[in-house]
Amino acid sequence: MNIKTIQKISYGMYVVSSKRDGKFNGQIANTVFQITSEPPTLAVSINKQNLTHEYIQSSGVFVTSIISKEAPMPFIGNFGFKSGRDIDKFKEIKYRLGKTGAPIVLEHTIGYLECEVLNIIDVGTHTVFIGKVVDCEILTDEEPMTYAYYHQIKGGKSPKTAPTYIKEEPKKAVEISSKYKCKVCDYVYDPEKGDPDCGIKPGTPFEILSDTWTCPICGAPKSEFEKET
Ligand code: FE
C-alpha cells in the first residue's frame, strides 16, 4: 500500500467560516465537496481542535467562500496559520453577513455557499459537517485556486491540523542554499522566488530583507527563520 496515492486527489481552497455569540471565525479548508444536487448539499471536514469547529457545532451554520487563484499568501496565512483564539481573523477582512448570520468573505473570493448543518459525522480527529445550501452566489469571474496550485506555485504548506497533512520526511542530503524556513509554519523563503505578494522581487537574498519583513503565511518575524540545511 502506497499512502502517497492519497496525495493524487485534487482539491480546491476555501475559507470555511461560522459564528458564535456575535463573534466570527473562519479557517482555510481544502476538504469541501458537493454531496447531492437535490437538495444541494456540501460536506466540509474540520479538525476538532479548530475554533471554527466549535462555532459550527454551536451555531449549526457555515459559509464556504471559494478562494480566487490570485489570492495573496498573507490572506491565506491569516485564515490558515493563525488561530481565532489569539486574533480576530475578520478584523482586517472585508465581509458581509449572510442569511444565517455567518460571515461571507468578500476579498479574493469568487463565490460563496452558505449552509445549514443537516448531519454531523464523527471521524476521529475531524468532524464532517454536511450542510444544506441555503444561499449561494458567484461574485467574480476569476478562476478558483486549486490545492495543487497553492502548493506548487504559491509554495504553500499545510498546518498539522489539516485533514490532508502529511508529515515531511527529514532531508538527507545537505545542500548549499540560502533558503530559510519559518519555524512557526514551515514556509520556506526561496530567494529565487522572493515574496512577490509582499513586494519582494525574485532574486532577493533572505539576509538583505528588511527587519520589518514577516513570514507571508503566519506573520512570524525574520528572527523565527532558520537556514535550511
Ligand atoms: Fe510562518
Side-chain angles (χ1 to χ4, degrees):
M1 174 161 130
N2 181 359
I3 194 61
K4 286 193 171 162
T5 315
I6 215 161
Q7 295 174 352
K8 300 294 181 191
I9 295 174
S10 302
Y11 302 94
M13 287 284 286
Y14 311 94
V15 175
V16 173
S17 54
S18 190
K19 61 167 184 177
R20 184 177 66 185
D21 304 330
K23 288 187 182 162
F24 307 122
N25 195 54
Q27 64 160 82
I28 299 290
N30 62 296
T31 45
V32 171
F33 50 100
Q34 181 179 358
I35 302 288
T36 57
S37 52
E38 278 303 325
T41 56
L42 277 194
V44 297
S45 178
I46 301 290
N47 191 291
K48 287 179 183 173
Q49 294 172 23
N50 293 355
L51 186 62
T52 305
H53 186 278
E54 289 178 26
Y55 280 25
I56 298 174
Q57 224 169 20
S58 97
S59 67
V61 298
F62 64 88
V63 171
T64 296
S65 301
I66 304 165
I67 298 177
S68 145
K69 195 175 173 183
E70 306 308 323
M73 291 303 272
F75 171 83
I76 296 169
N78 175 60
F79 284 108
F81 283 91
K82 290 181 182 173
S83 171
R85 293 186 182 93
D86 306 322
I87 62 153
D88 174 3
K89 294 189 188 182
F90 279 90
K91 195 175 169 204
E92 309 282 337
I93 297 287
K94 264 192 267 169
Y95 69 95
R96 72 174 169 82
L97 299 186
K99 276 185 182 170
T100 63
I104 298 162
V105 177
L106 297 177
E107 286 177 41
H108 312 297
T109 298
I110 64 165
Y112 68 89
L113 295 135
E114 191 173 0
C115 297
E116 282 171 3
V117 174
L118 284 179
N119 220 323
I120 292 176
I121 302 166
D122 185 327
V123 282
T125 54
H126 289 66
T127 297
V128 175
F129 294 100
I130 296 174
K132 181 182 169 186
V133 178
V134 294
D135 191 29
C136 51
E137 208 54 69
I138 295 168
L139 301 176
T140 78
D141 289 334
E142 286 167 80
E143 266 185 76
M145 185 182 287
T146 65
Y147 199 50
Y149 184 86
Y150 168 66
H151 280 284
Q152 289 158 16
I153 310 296
K154 305 286 278 182
K157 305 292 172 185
S158 302
K160 290 181 178 63
T161 52
T164 46
Y165 175 77
I166 290 185
K167 207 173 161 193
E168 275 180 47
E169 289 180 20
K171 289 192 185 132
K172 291 178 191 106
V174 175
E175 55 183 286
I176 299 162
S177 87
S178 43
K179 290 180 184 172
Y180 280 76
K181 185 171 173 178
C182 174
K183 287 187 273 183
V184 179
C185 74
D186 287 351
Y187 163 83
V188 175
Y189 178 83
D190 180 347
E192 266 179 47
K193 292 181 184 163
D195 177 11
D197 287 344
C198 297
I200 307 294
K201 288 183 191 148
T204 309
F206 180 83
E207 292 79 0
I208 68 160
L209 293 175
S210 140
D211 285 340
T212 57
W213 179 84
T214 56
C215 173
I217 296 190
C218 73
K222 229 183 135 181
S223 55
E224 289 296 317
F225 279 70
E226 62 188 6
K227 204 167 188 169
E228 283 245 281
T229 51

